[in-house]
Amino acid sequence: MKKLLAMILAAALAASMLTGCGNKDETTDTPNSDNTQAPTQQGDASQAVELPQFEKPDKESQVAIIETSAGTIKVQFFPEYAPKAVENFLTHAQNGYYNGLSFHRVINDFMIQGGDPKGDGTGGESIWGEGFGLEVNKNLRHFRGALSMARASDPNSQGSQFFIVQAPQVSDDVLEAMRQVGVNSTGDGFPDNVVEKYAEVGGYPSLDYEYTVFGQVFEGMDVVDKIAQETKTEDANGTVAEENRTIITSITVEPASQHFNYAE
């Protein structure tokens, strides 16, 4: 089943799932289609999982207001599922680490990637000064608007780079492949409600279980689309020349209560 899904996804996504830039061993990047991994045991696809990316965050939680030269993007977080990734991003944001950095890699109908001080996909570090490991969870997926950690081939290489999924739709072939995989005995895989949500909102399901989703855009996807659609790139890998990059001017961390209505 894993081989079947990998073959279908590779064929369906070949046009936009591209190789990384720079030194392959050092570049923090989003994946190649041949890296797809999926559960190997088909099961009951009716086993629903939670979809917290589309729920109102806890009143006491924090959100990030990402001001860019293209507009404002607002993101909520999921520390209960990806505590280290959330702590890393919010601490960097509060310390001004991301101010002045850019979205250095952009692929329309896929994602926008930023958070690298070098601007070439090889830089950046975590708040701990070293890479940290994946925090994957069956309840968090690479739906359109997902905020996820970029990394190199080493799963423990997560640092400061992140990407926002921009893909507006998932092809019928990929959706059918997900249905065929279903879920395995531990509940991992693609239950019906996940497949239907991908069909509804779009995204990039081949990244699931491979990259750490830790946030979700709740306002400003029009800005993400603008960056993805209007940024001039240098090659098929989405490299953006410095003069054409969208700049992150600041990131402010605020209480969710300032952005969501919690009235009874």
PDB file of all heavy atoms in Angstrom, residues 5 9 13 17 31 36-39 110 140-144 165 167 169-171 173-175 177-178 189-190 194-195 198-199 202-211:
ATOM      1  N   LEU A   5       0.754   4.197  -2.933  1.00  0.00           N
ATOM      2  CA  LEU A   5       0.537   5.622  -2.688  1.00  0.00           C
ATOM      3  C   LEU A   5       1.713   6.447  -3.184  1.00  0.00           C
ATOM      4  O   LEU A   5       1.525   7.494  -3.811  1.00  0.00           O
ATOM      5  CB  LEU A   5       0.325   5.880  -1.203  1.00  0.00           C
ATOM      6  CG  LEU A   5       0.092   7.350  -0.834  1.00  0.00           C
ATOM      7  CD1 LEU A   5      -1.189   7.855  -1.473  1.00  0.00           C
ATOM      8  CD2 LEU A   5       0.053   7.546   0.660  1.00  0.00           C
ATOM      9  N   LEU A   9       1.264   9.376  -5.909  1.00  0.00           N
ATOM     10  CA  LEU A   9       1.625  10.736  -5.537  1.00  0.00           C
ATOM     11  C   LEU A   9       2.765  11.260  -6.383  1.00  0.00           C
ATOM     12  O   LEU A   9       2.769  12.414  -6.804  1.00  0.00           O
ATOM     13  CB  LEU A   9       2.007  10.788  -4.058  1.00  0.00           C
ATOM     14  CG  LEU A   9       0.864  10.608  -3.065  1.00  0.00           C
ATOM     15  CD1 LEU A   9       1.410  10.672  -1.642  1.00  0.00           C
ATOM     16  CD2 LEU A   9      -0.211  11.632  -3.256  1.00  0.00           C
ATOM     17  N   LEU A  13       2.103  14.599  -8.475  1.00  0.00           N
ATOM     18  CA  LEU A  13       2.719  15.810  -7.951  1.00  0.00           C
ATOM     19  C   LEU A  13       4.021  16.178  -8.646  1.00  0.00           C
ATOM     20  O   LEU A  13       4.671  17.143  -8.279  1.00  0.00           O
ATOM     21  CB  LEU A  13       2.994  15.642  -6.448  1.00  0.00           C
ATOM     22  CG  LEU A  13       1.791  15.243  -5.596  1.00  0.00           C
ATOM     23  CD1 LEU A  13       2.214  15.106  -4.140  1.00  0.00           C
ATOM     24  CD2 LEU A  13       0.674  16.240  -5.723  1.00  0.00           C
ATOM     25  N   MET A  17       6.324  19.280  -7.098  1.00  0.00           N
ATOM     26  CA  MET A  17       7.154  18.848  -5.983  1.00  0.00           C
ATOM     27  C   MET A  17       8.584  18.708  -6.481  1.00  0.00           C
ATOM     28  O   MET A  17       8.915  17.749  -7.166  1.00  0.00           O
ATOM     29  CB  MET A  17       6.639  17.514  -5.435  1.00  0.00           C
ATOM     30  CG  MET A  17       7.369  17.063  -4.194  1.00  0.00           C
ATOM     31  SD  MET A  17       6.977  18.067  -2.765  1.00  0.00           S
ATOM     32  CE  MET A  17       5.446  17.338  -2.269  1.00  0.00           C
ATOM     33  N   PRO A  31      10.129  18.702   0.764  1.00  0.00           N
ATOM     34  CA  PRO A  31      10.567  17.398   0.274  1.00  0.00           C
ATOM     35  C   PRO A  31      10.448  17.162  -1.217  1.00  0.00           C
ATOM     36  O   PRO A  31       9.811  17.900  -1.945  1.00  0.00           O
ATOM     37  CB  PRO A  31       9.636  16.449   1.017  1.00  0.00           C
ATOM     38  CG  PRO A  31       8.378  17.227   1.118  1.00  0.00           C
ATOM     39  CD  PRO A  31       8.801  18.656   1.332  1.00  0.00           C
ATOM     40  N   THR A  36       8.101  10.390  -0.200  1.00  0.00           N
ATOM     41  CA  THR A  36       6.796  10.152   0.389  1.00  0.00           C
ATOM     42  C   THR A  36       6.785   8.868   1.200  1.00  0.00           C
ATOM     43  O   THR A  36       7.212   7.827   0.740  1.00  0.00           O
ATOM     44  CB  THR A  36       5.720  10.055  -0.718  1.00  0.00           C
ATOM     45  OG1 THR A  36       5.691  11.276  -1.429  1.00  0.00           O
ATOM     46  CG2 THR A  36       4.352   9.786  -0.110  1.00  0.00           C
ATOM     47  N   GLN A  37       6.275   8.959   2.428  1.00  0.00           N
ATOM     48  CA  GLN A  37       6.083   7.778   3.247  1.00  0.00           C
ATOM     49  C   GLN A  37       4.643   7.750   3.715  1.00  0.00           C
ATOM     50  O   GLN A  37       4.073   8.766   4.067  1.00  0.00           O
ATOM     51  CB  GLN A  37       7.027   7.787   4.449  1.00  0.00           C
ATOM     52  CG  GLN A  37       8.486   7.695   4.042  1.00  0.00           C
ATOM     53  CD  GLN A  37       9.373   7.505   5.250  1.00  0.00           C
ATOM     54  OE1 GLN A  37       8.893   7.274   6.349  1.00  0.00           O
ATOM     55  NE2 GLN A  37      10.661   7.587   5.045  1.00  0.00           N
ATOM     56  N   ALA A  38       4.066   6.573   3.715  1.00  0.00           N
ATOM     57  CA  ALA A  38       2.681   6.441   4.121  1.00  0.00           C
ATOM     58  C   ALA A  38       2.516   5.162   4.924  1.00  0.00           C
ATOM     59  O   ALA A  38       3.340   4.261   4.835  1.00  0.00           O
ATOM     60  CB  ALA A  38       1.770   6.402   2.879  1.00  0.00           C
ATOM     61  N   PRO A  39       1.461   5.066   5.706  1.00  0.00           N
ATOM     62  CA  PRO A  39       1.217   3.850   6.461  1.00  0.00           C
ATOM     63  C   PRO A  39       1.130   2.637   5.548  1.00  0.00           C
ATOM     64  O   PRO A  39       0.664   2.724   4.412  1.00  0.00           O
ATOM     65  CB  PRO A  39      -0.128   4.130   7.144  1.00  0.00           C
ATOM     66  CG  PRO A  39      -0.166   5.604   7.239  1.00  0.00           C
ATOM     67  CD  PRO A  39       0.509   6.121   6.009  1.00  0.00           C
ATOM     68  N   PHE A 110       2.115  25.379  -4.279  1.00  0.00           N
ATOM     69  CA  PHE A 110       2.799  24.479  -3.363  1.00  0.00           C
ATOM     70  C   PHE A 110       2.985  25.174  -2.012  1.00  0.00           C
ATOM     71  O   PHE A 110       2.196  24.967  -1.097  1.00  0.00           O
ATOM     72  CB  PHE A 110       4.133  24.041  -3.967  1.00  0.00           C
ATOM     73  CG  PHE A 110       4.944  23.090  -3.107  1.00  0.00           C
ATOM     74  CD1 PHE A 110       4.386  22.407  -2.040  1.00  0.00           C
ATOM     75  CD2 PHE A 110       6.282  22.892  -3.391  1.00  0.00           C
ATOM     76  CE1 PHE A 110       5.136  21.532  -1.257  1.00  0.00           C
ATOM     77  CE2 PHE A 110       7.052  22.019  -2.620  1.00  0.00           C
ATOM     78  CZ  PHE A 110       6.480  21.344  -1.552  1.00  0.00           C
ATOM     79  N   LEU A 140      -2.710  16.779  12.929  1.00  0.00           N
ATOM     80  CA  LEU A 140      -2.250  17.966  12.218  1.00  0.00           C
ATOM     81  C   LEU A 140      -1.781  17.573  10.830  1.00  0.00           C
ATOM     82  O   LEU A 140      -0.965  16.664  10.673  1.00  0.00           O
ATOM     83  CB  LEU A 140      -1.107  18.644  12.984  1.00  0.00           C
ATOM     84  CG  LEU A 140      -1.451  19.210  14.364  1.00  0.00           C
ATOM     85  CD1 LEU A 140      -0.213  19.809  15.004  1.00  0.00           C
ATOM     86  CD2 LEU A 140      -2.563  20.255  14.271  1.00  0.00           C
ATOM     87  N   ARG A 141      -2.268  18.274   9.817  1.00  0.00           N
ATOM     88  CA  ARG A 141      -2.008  17.910   8.423  1.00  0.00           C
ATOM     89  C   ARG A 141      -1.563  19.122   7.609  1.00  0.00           C
ATOM     90  O   ARG A 141      -1.738  20.265   8.012  1.00  0.00           O
ATOM     91  CB  ARG A 141      -3.279  17.325   7.800  1.00  0.00           C
ATOM     92  CG  ARG A 141      -3.882  16.144   8.571  1.00  0.00           C
ATOM     93  CD  ARG A 141      -3.016  14.920   8.492  1.00  0.00           C
ATOM     94  NE  ARG A 141      -3.578  13.813   9.258  1.00  0.00           N
ATOM     95  CZ  ARG A 141      -3.597  12.546   8.851  1.00  0.00           C
ATOM     96  NH1 ARG A 141      -3.083  12.233   7.669  1.00  0.00           N
ATOM     97  NH2 ARG A 141      -4.114  11.608   9.610  1.00  0.00           N
ATOM     98  N   HIS A 142      -1.030  18.829   6.440  1.00  0.00           N
ATOM     99  CA  HIS A 142      -0.558  19.908   5.564  1.00  0.00           C
ATOM    100  C   HIS A 142      -1.685  20.416   4.671  1.00  0.00           C
ATOM    101  O   HIS A 142      -1.585  20.457   3.440  1.00  0.00           O
ATOM    102  CB  HIS A 142       0.635  19.431   4.745  1.00  0.00           C
ATOM    103  CG  HIS A 142       1.883  19.289   5.566  1.00  0.00           C
ATOM    104  ND1 HIS A 142       2.168  18.152   6.286  1.00  0.00           N
ATOM    105  CD2 HIS A 142       2.897  20.163   5.799  1.00  0.00           C
ATOM    106  CE1 HIS A 142       3.319  18.322   6.928  1.00  0.00           C
ATOM    107  NE2 HIS A 142       3.775  19.525   6.654  1.00  0.00           N
ATOM    108  N   PHE A 143      -2.771  20.819   5.352  1.00  0.00           N
ATOM    109  CA  PHE A 143      -3.853  21.482   4.644  1.00  0.00           C
ATOM    110  C   PHE A 143      -3.370  22.848   4.155  1.00  0.00           C
ATOM    111  O   PHE A 143      -2.377  23.387   4.646  1.00  0.00           O
ATOM    112  CB  PHE A 143      -5.048  21.681   5.567  1.00  0.00           C
ATOM    113  CG  PHE A 143      -5.680  20.413   6.072  1.00  0.00           C
ATOM    114  CD1 PHE A 143      -5.714  20.128   7.436  1.00  0.00           C
ATOM    115  CD2 PHE A 143      -6.253  19.514   5.197  1.00  0.00           C
ATOM    116  CE1 PHE A 143      -6.308  18.975   7.909  1.00  0.00           C
ATOM    117  CE2 PHE A 143      -6.853  18.347   5.651  1.00  0.00           C
ATOM    118  CZ  PHE A 143      -6.872  18.070   7.011  1.00  0.00           C
ATOM    119  N   ARG A 144      -4.077  23.404   3.203  1.00  0.00           N
ATOM    120  CA  ARG A 144      -3.795  24.769   2.764  1.00  0.00           C
ATOM    121  C   ARG A 144      -3.796  25.684   3.990  1.00  0.00           C
ATOM    122  O   ARG A 144      -4.719  25.650   4.821  1.00  0.00           O
ATOM    123  CB  ARG A 144      -4.851  25.211   1.763  1.00  0.00           C
ATOM    124  CG  ARG A 144      -4.794  26.690   1.367  1.00  0.00           C
ATOM    125  CD  ARG A 144      -5.799  26.959   0.248  1.00  0.00           C
ATOM    126  NE  ARG A 144      -6.128  28.362   0.124  1.00  0.00           N
ATOM    127  CZ  ARG A 144      -5.407  29.250  -0.557  1.00  0.00           C
ATOM    128  NH1 ARG A 144      -4.306  28.871  -1.170  1.00  0.00           N
ATOM    129  NH2 ARG A 144      -5.793  30.514  -0.632  1.00  0.00           N
ATOM    130  N   VAL A 165       1.894  26.229   3.564  1.00  0.00           N
ATOM    131  CA  VAL A 165       1.311  25.521   2.429  1.00  0.00           C
ATOM    132  C   VAL A 165       0.311  26.427   1.724  1.00  0.00           C
ATOM    133  O   VAL A 165      -0.601  26.980   2.344  1.00  0.00           O
ATOM    134  CB  VAL A 165       0.623  24.226   2.883  1.00  0.00           C
ATOM    135  CG1 VAL A 165      -0.014  23.509   1.689  1.00  0.00           C
ATOM    136  CG2 VAL A 165       1.620  23.302   3.583  1.00  0.00           C
ATOM    137  N   ALA A 167      -0.953  25.426  -1.606  1.00  0.00           N
ATOM    138  CA  ALA A 167      -1.652  24.636  -2.623  1.00  0.00           C
ATOM    139  C   ALA A 167      -3.169  24.737  -2.466  1.00  0.00           C
ATOM    140  O   ALA A 167      -3.708  24.365  -1.422  1.00  0.00           O
ATOM    141  CB  ALA A 167      -1.220  23.173  -2.531  1.00  0.00           C
ATOM    142  N   GLN A 169      -5.639  23.142  -4.084  1.00  0.00           N
ATOM    143  CA  GLN A 169      -6.456  21.961  -4.293  1.00  0.00           C
ATOM    144  C   GLN A 169      -5.594  20.707  -4.335  1.00  0.00           C
ATOM    145  O   GLN A 169      -4.382  20.776  -4.525  1.00  0.00           O
ATOM    146  CB  GLN A 169      -7.260  22.077  -5.593  1.00  0.00           C
ATOM    147  CG  GLN A 169      -6.418  22.210  -6.845  1.00  0.00           C
ATOM    148  CD  GLN A 169      -7.264  22.446  -8.102  1.00  0.00           C
ATOM    149  OE1 GLN A 169      -8.457  22.762  -8.008  1.00  0.00           O
ATOM    150  NE2 GLN A 169      -6.664  22.276  -9.259  1.00  0.00           N
ATOM    151  N   VAL A 170      -6.243  19.563  -4.136  1.00  0.00           N
ATOM    152  CA  VAL A 170      -5.600  18.256  -4.224  1.00  0.00           C
ATOM    153  C   VAL A 170      -6.263  17.501  -5.357  1.00  0.00           C
ATOM    154  O   VAL A 170      -7.494  17.472  -5.462  1.00  0.00           O
ATOM    155  CB  VAL A 170      -5.748  17.476  -2.900  1.00  0.00           C
ATOM    156  CG1 VAL A 170      -5.079  16.111  -3.004  1.00  0.00           C
ATOM    157  CG2 VAL A 170      -5.161  18.270  -1.740  1.00  0.00           C
ATOM    158  N   SER A 171      -5.469  16.894  -6.215  1.00  0.00           N
ATOM    159  CA  SER A 171      -6.021  16.231  -7.384  1.00  0.00           C
ATOM    160  C   SER A 171      -6.839  15.004  -6.998  1.00  0.00           C
ATOM    161  O   SER A 171      -6.648  14.397  -5.936  1.00  0.00           O
ATOM    162  CB  SER A 171      -4.886  15.796  -8.333  1.00  0.00           C
ATOM    163  OG  SER A 171      -4.183  14.696  -7.805  1.00  0.00           O
ATOM    164  N   ASP A 173      -6.636  12.079  -8.254  1.00  0.00           N
ATOM    165  CA  ASP A 173      -5.768  10.908  -8.169  1.00  0.00           C
ATOM    166  C   ASP A 173      -5.166  10.765  -6.777  1.00  0.00           C
ATOM    167  O   ASP A 173      -5.095   9.668  -6.220  1.00  0.00           O
ATOM    168  CB  ASP A 173      -4.640  10.997  -9.202  1.00  0.00           C
ATOM    169  CG  ASP A 173      -5.103  10.737 -10.616  1.00  0.00           C
ATOM    170  OD1 ASP A 173      -6.226  10.212 -10.778  1.00  0.00           O
ATOM    171  OD2 ASP A 173      -4.361  11.052 -11.558  1.00  0.00           O
ATOM    172  N   VAL A 174      -4.716  11.881  -6.224  1.00  0.00           N
ATOM    173  CA  VAL A 174      -4.120  11.844  -4.890  1.00  0.00           C
ATOM    174  C   VAL A 174      -5.183  11.532  -3.836  1.00  0.00           C
ATOM    175  O   VAL A 174      -4.943  10.736  -2.919  1.00  0.00           O
ATOM    176  CB  VAL A 174      -3.419  13.177  -4.575  1.00  0.00           C
ATOM    177  CG1 VAL A 174      -2.959  13.220  -3.122  1.00  0.00           C
ATOM    178  CG2 VAL A 174      -2.226  13.372  -5.505  1.00  0.00           C
ATOM    179  N   LEU A 175      -6.349  12.126  -3.956  1.00  0.00           N
ATOM    180  CA  LEU A 175      -7.425  11.839  -3.009  1.00  0.00           C
ATOM    181  C   LEU A 175      -7.797  10.363  -3.035  1.00  0.00           C
ATOM    182  O   LEU A 175      -8.002   9.743  -1.980  1.00  0.00           O
ATOM    183  CB  LEU A 175      -8.650  12.698  -3.337  1.00  0.00           C
ATOM    184  CG  LEU A 175      -8.500  14.207  -3.128  1.00  0.00           C
ATOM    185  CD1 LEU A 175      -9.706  14.941  -3.701  1.00  0.00           C
ATOM    186  CD2 LEU A 175      -8.322  14.547  -1.649  1.00  0.00           C
ATOM    187  N   ALA A 177      -5.812   7.898  -3.919  1.00  0.00           N
ATOM    188  CA  ALA A 177      -4.698   7.157  -3.314  1.00  0.00           C
ATOM    189  C   ALA A 177      -4.799   7.185  -1.798  1.00  0.00           C
ATOM    190  O   ALA A 177      -4.547   6.177  -1.119  1.00  0.00           O
ATOM    191  CB  ALA A 177      -3.367   7.754  -3.763  1.00  0.00           C
ATOM    192  N   MET A 178      -5.195   8.319  -1.243  1.00  0.00           N
ATOM    193  CA  MET A 178      -5.351   8.431   0.203  1.00  0.00           C
ATOM    194  C   MET A 178      -6.471   7.522   0.706  1.00  0.00           C
ATOM    195  O   MET A 178      -6.355   6.883   1.753  1.00  0.00           O
ATOM    196  CB  MET A 178      -5.621   9.881   0.580  1.00  0.00           C
ATOM    197  CG  MET A 178      -4.452  10.819   0.297  1.00  0.00           C
ATOM    198  SD  MET A 178      -4.955  12.547   0.176  1.00  0.00           S
ATOM    199  CE  MET A 178      -5.512  12.877   1.841  1.00  0.00           C
ATOM    200  N   GLY A 189      -2.583   7.429   9.085  1.00  0.00           N
ATOM    201  CA  GLY A 189      -2.969   7.307   7.684  1.00  0.00           C
ATOM    202  C   GLY A 189      -3.899   8.419   7.267  1.00  0.00           C
ATOM    203  O   GLY A 189      -3.730   9.574   7.656  1.00  0.00           O
ATOM    204  N   PHE A 190      -4.926   8.076   6.499  1.00  0.00           N
ATOM    205  CA  PHE A 190      -5.824   9.077   5.928  1.00  0.00           C
ATOM    206  C   PHE A 190      -7.275   8.673   6.137  1.00  0.00           C
ATOM    207  O   PHE A 190      -7.917   8.120   5.241  1.00  0.00           O
ATOM    208  CB  PHE A 190      -5.523   9.256   4.438  1.00  0.00           C
ATOM    209  CG  PHE A 190      -4.115   9.699   4.155  1.00  0.00           C
ATOM    210  CD1 PHE A 190      -3.162   8.785   3.722  1.00  0.00           C
ATOM    211  CD2 PHE A 190      -3.733  11.012   4.338  1.00  0.00           C
ATOM    212  CE1 PHE A 190      -1.859   9.190   3.470  1.00  0.00           C
ATOM    213  CE2 PHE A 190      -2.434  11.426   4.090  1.00  0.00           C
ATOM    214  CZ  PHE A 190      -1.485  10.506   3.660  1.00  0.00           C
ATOM    215  N   VAL A 194     -10.180  13.362   7.035  1.00  0.00           N
ATOM    216  CA  VAL A 194      -8.978  14.038   6.557  1.00  0.00           C
ATOM    217  C   VAL A 194      -9.018  14.164   5.037  1.00  0.00           C
ATOM    218  O   VAL A 194      -8.728  15.229   4.468  1.00  0.00           O
ATOM    219  CB  VAL A 194      -7.714  13.281   7.005  1.00  0.00           C
ATOM    220  CG1 VAL A 194      -6.476  13.811   6.284  1.00  0.00           C
ATOM    221  CG2 VAL A 194      -7.530  13.413   8.507  1.00  0.00           C
ATOM    222  N   VAL A 195      -9.386  13.074   4.365  1.00  0.00           N
ATOM    223  CA  VAL A 195      -9.464  13.100   2.895  1.00  0.00           C
ATOM    224  C   VAL A 195     -10.475  14.143   2.440  1.00  0.00           C
ATOM    225  O   VAL A 195     -10.218  14.935   1.528  1.00  0.00           O
ATOM    226  CB  VAL A 195      -9.844  11.716   2.343  1.00  0.00           C
ATOM    227  CG1 VAL A 195      -9.995  11.767   0.827  1.00  0.00           C
ATOM    228  CG2 VAL A 195      -8.790  10.676   2.724  1.00  0.00           C
ATOM    229  N   TYR A 198      -9.124  17.661   2.881  1.00  0.00           N
ATOM    230  CA  TYR A 198      -8.189  17.991   1.808  1.00  0.00           C
ATOM    231  C   TYR A 198      -8.949  18.328   0.520  1.00  0.00           C
ATOM    232  O   TYR A 198      -8.575  19.255  -0.219  1.00  0.00           O
ATOM    233  CB  TYR A 198      -7.232  16.836   1.554  1.00  0.00           C
ATOM    234  CG  TYR A 198      -5.943  16.906   2.335  1.00  0.00           C
ATOM    235  CD1 TYR A 198      -5.603  15.917   3.261  1.00  0.00           C
ATOM    236  CD2 TYR A 198      -5.041  17.945   2.148  1.00  0.00           C
ATOM    237  CE1 TYR A 198      -4.413  15.974   3.978  1.00  0.00           C
ATOM    238  CE2 TYR A 198      -3.847  18.014   2.854  1.00  0.00           C
ATOM    239  CZ  TYR A 198      -3.542  17.026   3.766  1.00  0.00           C
ATOM    240  OH  TYR A 198      -2.358  17.094   4.473  1.00  0.00           O
ATOM    241  N   ALA A 199      -9.999  17.574   0.232  1.00  0.00           N
ATOM    242  CA  ALA A 199     -10.800  17.845  -0.960  1.00  0.00           C
ATOM    243  C   ALA A 199     -11.466  19.210  -0.872  1.00  0.00           C
ATOM    244  O   ALA A 199     -11.626  19.910  -1.873  1.00  0.00           O
ATOM    245  CB  ALA A 199     -11.851  16.751  -1.145  1.00  0.00           C
ATOM    246  N   GLY A 202      -7.908  22.024   0.097  1.00  0.00           N
ATOM    247  CA  GLY A 202      -6.625  21.936  -0.590  1.00  0.00           C
ATOM    248  C   GLY A 202      -5.492  21.639   0.374  1.00  0.00           C
ATOM    249  O   GLY A 202      -5.686  21.476   1.575  1.00  0.00           O
ATOM    250  N   GLY A 203      -4.292  21.585  -0.178  1.00  0.00           N
ATOM    251  CA  GLY A 203      -3.115  21.313   0.634  1.00  0.00           C
ATOM    252  C   GLY A 203      -2.161  20.348  -0.052  1.00  0.00           C
ATOM    253  O   GLY A 203      -2.241  20.132  -1.263  1.00  0.00           O
ATOM    254  N   TYR A 204      -1.265  19.758   0.715  1.00  0.00           N
ATOM    255  CA  TYR A 204      -0.230  18.873   0.178  1.00  0.00           C
ATOM    256  C   TYR A 204      -0.092  17.639   1.073  1.00  0.00           C
ATOM    257  O   TYR A 204       0.804  17.558   1.919  1.00  0.00           O
ATOM    258  CB  TYR A 204       1.102  19.613   0.068  1.00  0.00           C
ATOM    259  CG  TYR A 204       1.643  19.587  -1.335  1.00  0.00           C
ATOM    260  CD1 TYR A 204       1.211  20.507  -2.283  1.00  0.00           C
ATOM    261  CD2 TYR A 204       2.568  18.627  -1.730  1.00  0.00           C
ATOM    262  CE1 TYR A 204       1.692  20.483  -3.575  1.00  0.00           C
ATOM    263  CE2 TYR A 204       3.053  18.596  -3.020  1.00  0.00           C
ATOM    264  CZ  TYR A 204       2.617  19.528  -3.953  1.00  0.00           C
ATOM    265  OH  TYR A 204       3.083  19.485  -5.243  1.00  0.00           O
ATOM    266  N   PRO A 205      -0.952  16.638   0.918  1.00  0.00           N
ATOM    267  CA  PRO A 205      -0.973  15.488   1.819  1.00  0.00           C
ATOM    268  C   PRO A 205       0.285  14.639   1.804  1.00  0.00           C
ATOM    269  O   PRO A 205       0.554  13.928   2.777  1.00  0.00           O
ATOM    270  CB  PRO A 205      -2.181  14.675   1.336  1.00  0.00           C
ATOM    271  CG  PRO A 205      -2.429  15.127  -0.064  1.00  0.00           C
ATOM    272  CD  PRO A 205      -2.037  16.569  -0.088  1.00  0.00           C
ATOM    273  N   SER A 206       1.083  14.699   0.750  1.00  0.00           N
ATOM    274  CA  SER A 206       2.301  13.881   0.730  1.00  0.00           C
ATOM    275  C   SER A 206       3.331  14.354   1.747  1.00  0.00           C
ATOM    276  O   SER A 206       4.304  13.649   2.028  1.00  0.00           O
ATOM    277  CB  SER A 206       2.924  13.874  -0.670  1.00  0.00           C
ATOM    278  OG  SER A 206       3.403  15.145  -1.028  1.00  0.00           O
ATOM    279  N   LEU A 207       3.123  15.524   2.339  1.00  0.00           N
ATOM    280  CA  LEU A 207       4.031  16.008   3.381  1.00  0.00           C
ATOM    281  C   LEU A 207       3.667  15.476   4.765  1.00  0.00           C
ATOM    282  O   LEU A 207       4.476  15.557   5.692  1.00  0.00           O
ATOM    283  CB  LEU A 207       4.005  17.549   3.423  1.00  0.00           C
ATOM    284  CG  LEU A 207       4.284  18.305   2.126  1.00  0.00           C
ATOM    285  CD1 LEU A 207       4.306  19.800   2.405  1.00  0.00           C
ATOM    286  CD2 LEU A 207       5.583  17.857   1.500  1.00  0.00           C
ATOM    287  N   ASP A 208       2.460  14.921   4.911  1.00  0.00           N
ATOM    288  CA  ASP A 208       2.025  14.418   6.206  1.00  0.00           C
ATOM    289  C   ASP A 208       2.960  13.323   6.708  1.00  0.00           C
ATOM    290  O   ASP A 208       3.432  12.489   5.931  1.00  0.00           O
ATOM    291  CB  ASP A 208       0.598  13.866   6.106  1.00  0.00           C
ATOM    292  CG  ASP A 208      -0.437  14.950   5.921  1.00  0.00           C
ATOM    293  OD1 ASP A 208      -0.079  16.142   5.973  1.00  0.00           O
ATOM    294  OD2 ASP A 208      -1.623  14.599   5.720  1.00  0.00           O
ATOM    295  N   TYR A 209       3.210  13.333   8.003  1.00  0.00           N
ATOM    296  CA  TYR A 209       4.075  12.374   8.692  1.00  0.00           C
ATOM    297  C   TYR A 209       5.559  12.578   8.385  1.00  0.00           C
ATOM    298  O   TYR A 209       6.399  11.845   8.893  1.00  0.00           O
ATOM    299  CB  TYR A 209       3.679  10.923   8.385  1.00  0.00           C
ATOM    300  CG  TYR A 209       2.274  10.578   8.794  1.00  0.00           C
ATOM    301  CD1 TYR A 209       1.245  10.540   7.856  1.00  0.00           C
ATOM    302  CD2 TYR A 209       1.963  10.301  10.121  1.00  0.00           C
ATOM    303  CE1 TYR A 209      -0.058  10.231   8.226  1.00  0.00           C
ATOM    304  CE2 TYR A 209       0.668   9.990  10.503  1.00  0.00           C
ATOM    305  CZ  TYR A 209      -0.339   9.959   9.549  1.00  0.00           C
ATOM    306  OH  TYR A 209      -1.628   9.656   9.925  1.00  0.00           O
ATOM    307  N   GLU A 210       5.889  13.560   7.552  1.00  0.00           N
ATOM    308  CA  GLU A 210       7.275  13.813   7.178  1.00  0.00           C
ATOM    309  C   GLU A 210       7.780  15.166   7.688  1.00  0.00           C
ATOM    310  O   GLU A 210       8.986  15.353   7.836  1.00  0.00           O
ATOM    311  CB  GLU A 210       7.432  13.784   5.653  1.00  0.00           C
ATOM    312  CG  GLU A 210       7.334  12.399   5.033  1.00  0.00           C
ATOM    313  CD  GLU A 210       8.497  11.528   5.458  1.00  0.00           C
ATOM    314  OE1 GLU A 210       9.652  11.822   5.090  1.00  0.00           O
ATOM    315  OE2 GLU A 210       8.247  10.548   6.188  1.00  0.00           O
ATOM    316  N   TYR A 211       6.872  16.099   7.943  1.00  0.00           N
ATOM    317  CA  TYR A 211       7.230  17.448   8.368  1.00  0.00           C
ATOM    318  C   TYR A 211       6.327  17.863   9.518  1.00  0.00           C
ATOM    319  O   TYR A 211       5.188  17.407   9.632  1.00  0.00           O
ATOM    320  CB  TYR A 211       7.128  18.430   7.187  1.00  0.00           C
ATOM    321  CG  TYR A 211       8.181  18.141   6.149  1.00  0.00           C
ATOM    322  CD1 TYR A 211       7.985  17.135   5.207  1.00  0.00           C
ATOM    323  CD2 TYR A 211       9.394  18.829   6.141  1.00  0.00           C
ATOM    324  CE1 TYR A 211       8.974  16.823   4.282  1.00  0.00           C
ATOM    325  CE2 TYR A 211      10.381  18.525   5.221  1.00  0.00           C
ATOM    326  CZ  TYR A 211      10.170  17.519   4.297  1.00  0.00           C
ATOM    327  OH  TYR A 211      11.157  17.197   3.404  1.00  0.00           O
TER     328      TYR A 211
END
